Amino acid sequence: MQKWIFFVLFILAGALGLGVLFQDISGRQQAREAEAAANKGQQLKIVASNWQFDNTNYTVKAGEPTKVSLSLKEGVHAVEIKGLDIKLDKENPSKQVTFDKPGTYDLECVLPCGEGHAKMKAKLVVQ
Protein backbone atom coordinates (compact mmCIF):
# COMPACT_ATOMS: atom_id res chain seq x y z
CA MET A 1 0.00 0.00 0.00
CA GLN A 2 2.79 2.45 0.91
CA LYS A 3 4.49 1.80 -2.42
CA TRP A 4 1.38 2.97 -4.27
CA ILE A 5 1.12 6.13 -2.19
CA PHE A 6 4.78 6.96 -2.85
CA PHE A 7 4.32 6.18 -6.54
CA VAL A 8 1.30 8.51 -6.82
CA LEU A 9 3.13 11.25 -4.87
CA PHE A 10 6.15 10.84 -7.16
CA ILE A 11 3.97 11.21 -10.29
CA LEU A 12 2.21 14.26 -8.84
CA ALA A 13 5.53 15.91 -7.92
CA GLY A 14 6.86 15.25 -11.42
CA ALA A 15 3.74 16.73 -13.03
CA LEU A 16 3.96 19.78 -10.75
CA GLY A 17 7.63 20.23 -11.62
CA LEU A 18 6.91 20.07 -15.35
CA GLY A 19 4.08 22.59 -14.93
CA VAL A 20 6.40 25.04 -13.16
CA LEU A 21 9.08 24.51 -15.80
CA PHE A 22 6.74 25.22 -18.72
CA GLN A 23 5.19 28.19 -16.93
CA ASP A 24 8.67 29.69 -16.46
CA ILE A 25 9.52 29.13 -20.14
CA SER A 26 6.27 30.77 -21.18
CA GLY A 27 6.93 33.77 -18.91
CA ARG A 28 10.42 34.24 -20.33
CA GLN A 29 9.07 34.03 -23.87
CA GLN A 30 6.45 36.70 -23.11
CA ALA A 31 9.15 38.93 -21.58
CA ARG A 32 11.31 38.54 -24.71
CA GLU A 33 8.35 39.39 -26.96
CA ALA A 34 7.57 42.48 -24.88
CA GLU A 35 11.23 43.58 -25.05
CA ALA A 36 11.31 43.06 -28.82
CA ALA A 37 8.15 45.14 -29.19
CA ALA A 38 9.68 47.91 -27.07
CA ASN A 39 12.88 47.86 -29.15
CA LYS A 40 10.88 48.03 -32.37
CA GLY A 41 11.28 51.41 -33.96
CA GLN A 42 14.25 53.68 -34.11
CA GLN A 43 16.83 54.56 -31.50
CA LEU A 44 18.59 57.83 -30.84
CA LYS A 45 21.69 57.30 -28.73
CA ILE A 46 23.48 60.40 -27.50
CA VAL A 47 26.97 59.84 -26.09
CA ALA A 48 28.34 62.65 -23.93
CA SER A 49 31.98 63.07 -23.00
CA ASN A 50 33.97 66.01 -21.69
CA TRP A 51 32.49 69.08 -23.39
CA GLN A 52 31.17 67.36 -26.51
CA PHE A 53 28.58 64.97 -27.87
CA ASP A 54 29.56 62.12 -30.18
CA ASN A 55 27.80 63.86 -33.11
CA THR A 56 27.03 67.45 -33.99
CA ASN A 57 23.85 66.42 -35.86
CA TYR A 58 21.37 63.65 -35.10
CA THR A 59 18.55 62.60 -37.42
CA VAL A 60 15.29 60.72 -36.70
CA LYS A 61 12.08 60.12 -38.63
CA ALA A 62 8.86 61.78 -37.52
CA GLY A 63 5.93 59.60 -36.47
CA GLU A 64 7.96 56.56 -35.42
CA PRO A 65 8.40 55.44 -31.80
CA THR A 66 11.95 56.27 -30.77
CA LYS A 67 13.99 55.30 -27.75
CA VAL A 68 16.12 58.32 -26.88
CA SER A 69 19.03 57.47 -24.57
CA LEU A 70 21.95 59.30 -23.01
CA SER A 71 25.22 57.50 -22.42
CA LEU A 72 27.92 59.16 -20.30
CA LYS A 73 31.41 58.37 -21.58
CA GLU A 74 33.26 60.99 -19.51
CA GLY A 75 32.04 63.44 -16.89
CA VAL A 76 28.53 64.07 -15.62
CA HIS A 77 26.07 65.60 -18.08
CA ALA A 78 22.37 66.19 -18.62
CA VAL A 79 20.90 66.80 -22.05
CA GLU A 80 17.79 68.70 -23.05
CA ILE A 81 16.17 68.83 -26.47
CA LYS A 82 14.75 72.34 -26.59
CA GLY A 83 11.14 72.61 -27.69
CA LEU A 84 10.36 68.92 -27.19
CA ASP A 85 10.24 68.63 -23.39
CA ILE A 86 12.89 65.89 -23.39
CA LYS A 87 15.45 65.95 -20.59
CA LEU A 88 17.86 63.07 -19.92
CA ASP A 89 20.42 62.72 -17.14
CA LYS A 90 22.20 60.10 -15.06
CA GLU A 91 19.03 59.33 -13.08
CA ASN A 92 16.76 59.18 -16.17
CA PRO A 93 19.01 58.03 -19.04
CA SER A 94 16.32 57.08 -21.56
CA LYS A 95 12.82 57.92 -22.70
CA GLN A 96 10.40 56.49 -25.26
CA VAL A 97 9.23 59.30 -27.58
CA THR A 98 7.34 59.72 -30.84
CA PHE A 99 8.48 62.85 -32.65
CA ASP A 100 5.37 64.36 -34.25
CA LYS A 101 6.67 67.62 -35.70
CA PRO A 102 9.42 67.66 -38.34
CA GLY A 103 12.01 70.36 -37.82
CA THR A 104 15.42 71.15 -36.36
CA TYR A 105 15.83 71.25 -32.60
CA ASP A 106 18.69 72.36 -30.37
CA LEU A 107 20.24 69.75 -28.15
CA GLU A 108 22.46 70.94 -25.33
CA CYS A 109 24.01 69.98 -22.03
CA VAL A 110 22.04 71.65 -19.21
CA LEU A 111 24.27 70.56 -16.33
CA PRO A 112 27.33 72.81 -15.86
CA CYS A 113 30.15 70.38 -16.57
CA GLY A 114 33.26 72.50 -16.74
CA GLU A 115 35.14 74.97 -18.90
CA GLY A 116 33.80 73.73 -22.27
CA HIS A 117 30.16 73.46 -21.15
CA ALA A 118 28.98 76.42 -23.26
CA LYS A 119 30.18 74.67 -26.46
CA MET A 120 28.37 71.41 -25.66
CA LYS A 121 25.61 71.69 -28.27
CA ALA A 122 24.24 69.69 -31.18
CA LYS A 123 21.24 69.65 -33.54
CA LEU A 124 18.43 67.14 -33.86
CA VAL A 125 16.73 66.95 -37.26
CA VAL A 126 13.29 65.35 -37.29
CA GLN A 127 12.38 64.43 -40.89
Side-chain angles (χ1 to χ4, degrees):
M1 181 73 175
Q2 287 181 355
K3 289 181 183 179
W4 282 103
I5 292 173
F6 284 121
F7 178 73
V8 169
L9 288 175
F10 179 76
I11 296 297
L12 288 174
L16 181 63
L18 285 174
V20 169
L21 175 68
F22 285 116
Q23 181 181 7
D24 187 46
I25 290 172
S26 175
R28 280 187 271 150
Q29 184 177 6
Q30 288 174 350
R32 273 196 302 260
E33 288 171 0
E35 184 179 331
N39 289 336
K40 211 175 204 181
Q42 56 188 338
Q43 294 200 7
L44 171 60
K45 186 174 182 181
I46 302 164
V47 179
S49 59
N50 286 337
W51 312 297
Q52 65 182 7
F53 294 112
D54 61 329
N55 290 312
T56 55
N57 293 305
Y58 298 92
T59 305
V60 294
K61 292 181 182 177
E64 290 186 22
T66 305
K67 181 179 180 181
V68 181
S69 62
L70 173 65
S71 176
L72 303 177
K73 188 174 178 183
E74 295 176 313
V76 180
H77 307 279
V79 67
E80 181 178 1
I81 302 174
K82 301 287 184 178
L84 294 178
D85 193 34
I86 298 173
K87 214 175 207 183
L88 303 173
D89 56 23
K90 186 177 180 180
E91 306 301 320
N92 300 303
S94 66
K95 185 174 184 177
Q96 192 73 23
V97 180
T98 300
F99 296 102
D100 294 329
K101 298 182 213 168
T104 301
Y105 300 91
D106 292 323
L107 186 144
E108 59 186 54
C109 181
V110 291
L111 181 69
C113 56
E115 63 189 54
H117 170 73
K119 293 187 270 180
M120 202 165 169
K121 297 181 182 197
K123 299 280 185 193
L124 171 65
V125 178
V126 179
Q127 299 177 334

